Amino acid sequence: MAVESGEPDLQFRDPEKAEQLTDRLEALMDDIGERVTIMHVCGSHEQAIAKYGLRSLLPDGLTIRMGPGCPVCVTDMPEVDEAVALAEEGKIVATYGDMLRVPGTEKSLDDAKADGADVRVVYSASEAAEIAEEEDEEVVFFATGFETTAAPTAAVLTAAPPENFSILSAHKYVPPAMEVVAELPDTDVDGFLAAGHAATITGYGLFEEFVEDYEVPTVVGGFEPIDILFGLAKLLEFIRDDEPGLANAYQRCVSEEGNVPAKETMWDVFETTTGEWRGIAQIPEANLVLREEYSQYDARGRFDIDVDTTSSNPLTEECLCGEIMAGKADPDDCALFGEECTPQDPVGACMVSSEGPCKIWLEYGGQPDI
Amino acid sequence: MSDEQEVITEAHGAGSGQMRELIEELAVSRFESDDAETDVPLAALDDGSVHRLANGGGSVVVTTDSHVVTPLFFRGGDIGRLAVAGTVNDLAMMGATEPTALTCSLIVESGTPVDTVERVMESMRETSEEAGAPITTGDTKVMGSGEIDTLAINTTGVGIVQQGGHVPDAGLSPGDKLIVTGTVGDHGISLLSEREGFDFEGDLQSDVAPVNDLVAAAMDAGKITAMKDPTRGGLATSLNEMASKGGVGLEIDERSIPVSGAVASAGEVLGIEPLNVANEGKVVLGVASEDADAVLEAIRNHPQGADAAIVGEAVDDHVGRVILDTGFGNRYLTEPEGEQLPRIC
């Protein structure tokens, strides 16, 4: 778009630089001489790739797949059911707007709200705590997201929120999910473009062990078109040199150690446990639950949550969200895509969030044959 | 669930595919007629219908529109200006740039201050004068408190064009250039920001205005083959409709689409594409290739068209689809699905 006034075009949106990087990708692919599959692990990467039409620039043989990088998408159905049950019992449930339409077994929070439940949209955990200060009723924050939202949730709990405040944690921790995907036999990932957002908190050094253990090159990347092309070029260099290396291609935001105070707060409050990622698998040590010291804020301990997971929408069985996030399918491989499953009436969570691969694929026209 | 009764949702009102399907199912299948004197019938789902008068006395263009908006008064306009401009513009999109008459039908919620309605009516008067479109008849209904949100306005417009002189939205041919008459996204992004309570610095405001005079200037300068005002669903929806109805593909250069800095920045913050939201004072025109420069110049010389630009052209490939060159790579420009909501998570 021609922007008439305001900020000048930032250098990471410079088409000339993009062209140079595209040439570089071509040359690297020529050197490599075989097909390469890169997986990104962030919905914002998919957003940028689709929005700027970057797939149409990629050299033949280079494929970018989507990984389990959308926090809304990997929130499991029973977790949504728990939030719905609490809302229906009369608790005020506060959560991020993207979670409202995510289908549970029988209902979404939006459905519960339509039936009279008090469900509030908030922009942050602290906003949910503020609601608890203003209200007499129990306020439960349905806490979703990766490290980027888990750290702020933790900060709220360390700041002694009101007694009528608790959290229903569906927070997830990304690195173990990458390990699972790296081990999936059908996925066949040659390199990971790791999420710059999460790495802002955890630091890129976190991936050293992953790269060592799984021998897959990994580059932390930002979200502007040049960031992504640069990240891909770094990955192809590693692949060409047959070197399972680690690089930080998002230096303006990510350091080796990350945001140390935020990280410390997060681990003071949360510990990892094994849990289900929607449609993908049970992933060891990838769900974040409250430590014993913070158990008074744990909605699961405080309330007797009774969920019925027996009567889900039959279409759910046909949903390919899990395959898509494991890098084994594209959204339009799913028979429900854009027909029975739309942003207004989603079957799978991938069609709900602005970071969901199916929603993005629908919004930006998918893989262009152009 | 499949056994639930189908209901109307807000998505049906968002101006794109779902809404067209509903209209076809509910209205077109029932009201369609084979009147040979109708050049543009209901089934065309154009901005208005066109009916030939006897003895070659020209054709009557009829259009109608209902208006609801929150808030009623917003930066750059109000529901009254929107109601008059919207109908004047629908007439203009058919080529009827000198409206003969408008109607004004009000539905008011009980308890609404008279002063509020008076401000709206005064705005309608001013806008109708600006557009040269007299309001000549109308109706008023009052509903109970809570049965309607403050105020809804229906306006119907009538205009005359020479026989065969109307402009359909289906008239694109390969080679035609596409012109957008000014910055896009101003109305939609401005309203979304105001509704969400974001106070962006800069001059975000609606572009709501009658564009019949601008369109007249464009039509005088060259052959206009197709025309639409990109209201609900934005430029993306209009381009897709023009491609699909015209049986052509469109190739659009995103960098040439005029977008104000304020709208681009606010759109990024809100996570909303300016191309997907409503405009209330802009036009997208298909122009015969040889006339494109002359029409562009005429538009730019008009006070409402200074930012106009040629944004792409119709081609005979990928029929019914719009290809967007982003300046980096190419992608399809699709119609937005449902109501555009700001990013939250």
Side-chain angles (χ1 to χ4, degrees), chain A residues 1-2 13 51-52 56 363, chain B residues 254 259 268 326 330-331 334:
Chain A
M1 286 173 272
R13 292 196 187 169
K51 177 174 171 162
Y52 295 104
S56 72
E363 187 172 346
Chain B
E254 188 173 12
V259 177
E268 291 239 337
T326 69
N330 294 333
R331 67 168 166 93
T334 60

Side-chain angles (χ1 to χ4, degrees), chain A residues 257-304:
Chain A
E257 65 281 358
N259 182 336
V260 177
K263 203 163 50 174
E264 282 174 359
T265 306
M266 185 175 89
W267 292 126
D268 279 348
V269 172
F270 290 109
E271 59 186 338
T272 58
T273 184
T274 298
E276 193 77 25
W277 284 41
R278 187 177 188 135
I280 300 175
Q282 272 231 335
I283 303 184
E285 308 304 322
N287 278 18
L288 296 175
V289 292
L290 288 172
R291 289 182 185 277
E292 183 61 32
E293 302 90 291
Y294 290 91
S295 59
Q296 77 266 32
Y297 297 117
D298 190 345
R300 289 190 182 94
R302 194 190 297 208
F303 310 111
D304 183 21

Side-chain angles (χ1 to χ4, degrees), chain A residues 36 40 76 111 148 173 181 194 198 203 208 211 218 279 292 295 315 353:
Chain A
V36 170
H40 66 72
D76 202 25
D111 297 330
T148 30
Y173 183 54
V181 172
E208 265 168 30
V211 169
T218 300
E292 183 61 32
S295 59
L315 287 176
S353 165

Side-chain angles (χ1 to χ4, degrees), chain A residues 34-351:
Chain A
E34 56 189 50
R35 298 192 66 81
V36 170
T37 301
I38 303 293
M39 176 177 277
H40 66 72
V41 199
C42 186
S44 299
H45 277 149
E46 186 58 33
Q47 265 276 350
I49 288 165
K51 177 174 171 162
Y52 295 104
L54 299 188
R55 278 201 177 81
S56 72
L57 295 179
L58 299 182
D60 285 345
L62 175 58
T63 304
I64 308 181
R65 289 283 199 185
M66 293 161 268
C70 164
V72 174
C73 307
V74 299
T75 304
D76 202 25
M77 218 179 242
E79 291 174 321
V80 176
D81 294 338
E82 288 178 308
V84 169
L86 288 169
E88 289 186 328
E89 279 169 20
K91 319 287 188 282
I92 298 171
V93 172
T95 192
Y96 299 113
D98 286 9
M99 292 308 302
L100 253 62
R101 281 191 181 151
V102 177
T105 305
E106 210 172 322
K107 281 183 174 181
S108 65
L109 279 169
D110 214 17
D111 297 330
K113 190 178 176 191
D115 292 343
D118 193 346
V119 178
R120 314 249 185 119
V121 170
V122 292
Y123 290 83
S124 63
S126 56
E127 205 181 323
E130 281 164 22
I131 294 173
E133 266 164 29
E134 291 159 9
E135 304 282 354
D136 295 329
E137 289 88 0
E138 288 286 343
V139 174
V140 180
F141 177 51
F142 185 27
T144 60
F146 300 135
E147 293 87 320
T148 30
T149 52
T153 303
V156 167
L157 297 187
T158 57
E163 280 183 9
N164 61 335
F165 179 75
S166 58
I167 74 157
L168 178 69
S169 177
H171 281 307
K172 308 243 181 304
Y173 183 54
V174 174
M178 287 171 63
E179 292 175 19
V180 166
V181 172
E183 282 178 346
L184 286 174
D186 309 343
T187 302
D188 199 18
V189 174
D190 300 300
F192 280 101
L193 187 62
H197 291 146
T200 307
I201 305 290
T202 54
Y204 73 84
L206 176 82
F207 295 107
E208 265 168 30
E209 210 176 301
F210 171 77
V211 169
E212 218 166 272
D213 290 352
Y214 294 89
E215 298 188 337
V216 185
T218 300
V219 171
V220 173
F223 305 97
E224 294 290 346
I226 299 297
D227 286 329
I228 290 169
L229 294 171
F230 182 60
L232 291 174
K234 293 297 291 177
L235 279 165
L236 290 188
E237 282 170 20
F238 284 138
I239 292 165
R240 177 198 60 191
D241 300 339
D242 201 19
E243 182 196 343
L246 171 66
N248 177 17
Y250 195 28
Q251 291 184 6
R252 65 181 183 278
C253 291
V254 174
S255 64
E256 185 171 0
E257 65 281 358
N259 182 336
V260 177
K263 203 163 50 174
E264 282 174 359
T265 306
M266 185 175 89
W267 292 126
D268 279 348
V269 172
F270 290 109
E271 59 186 338
T272 58
T273 184
T274 298
E276 193 77 25
W277 284 41
R278 187 177 188 135
I280 300 175
Q282 272 231 335
I283 303 184
E285 308 304 322
N287 278 18
L288 296 175
V289 292
L290 288 172
R291 289 182 185 277
E292 183 61 32
E293 302 90 291
Y294 290 91
S295 59
Q296 77 266 32
Y297 297 117
D298 190 345
R300 289 190 182 94
R302 194 190 297 208
F303 310 111
D304 183 21
I305 309 174
D306 185 20
V307 296
D308 176 8
T309 56
T310 52
S311 60
S312 67
N313 180 352
L315 287 176
T316 308
E317 300 295 315
E318 297 173 44
C319 172
L320 286 191
C321 279
E323 306 274 302
I324 292 161
M325 288 187 293
K328 295 192 249 177
D330 284 329
D332 47 12
D333 292 332
C334 179
L336 308 176
F337 178 76
E339 301 290 335
E340 285 89 348
C341 184
T342 63
Q344 280 72 47
D345 195 8
V347 175
C350 292
M351 192 56 97

Side-chain angles (χ1 to χ4, degrees), chain B residues 186-198:
Chain B
D186 300 59
H187 179 77
I189 296 281
S190 168
L191 243 70
L192 272 169
S193 307
E194 206 162 327
R195 250 180 244 159
E196 293 299 314
F198 289 107

Side-chain angles (χ1 to χ4, degrees), chain B residues 14 23 36 40 44 82 93 101 163 170 180 231 241 244-245 247 270 278 284-286 309 327:
Chain B
I23 294 171
V40 180
L82 197 61
M93 291 309 105
Q163 271 190 14
V180 173
T231 53
E241 277 189 41
S244 145
K245 288 182 175 179
L270 295 166
V284 50
L285 306 102

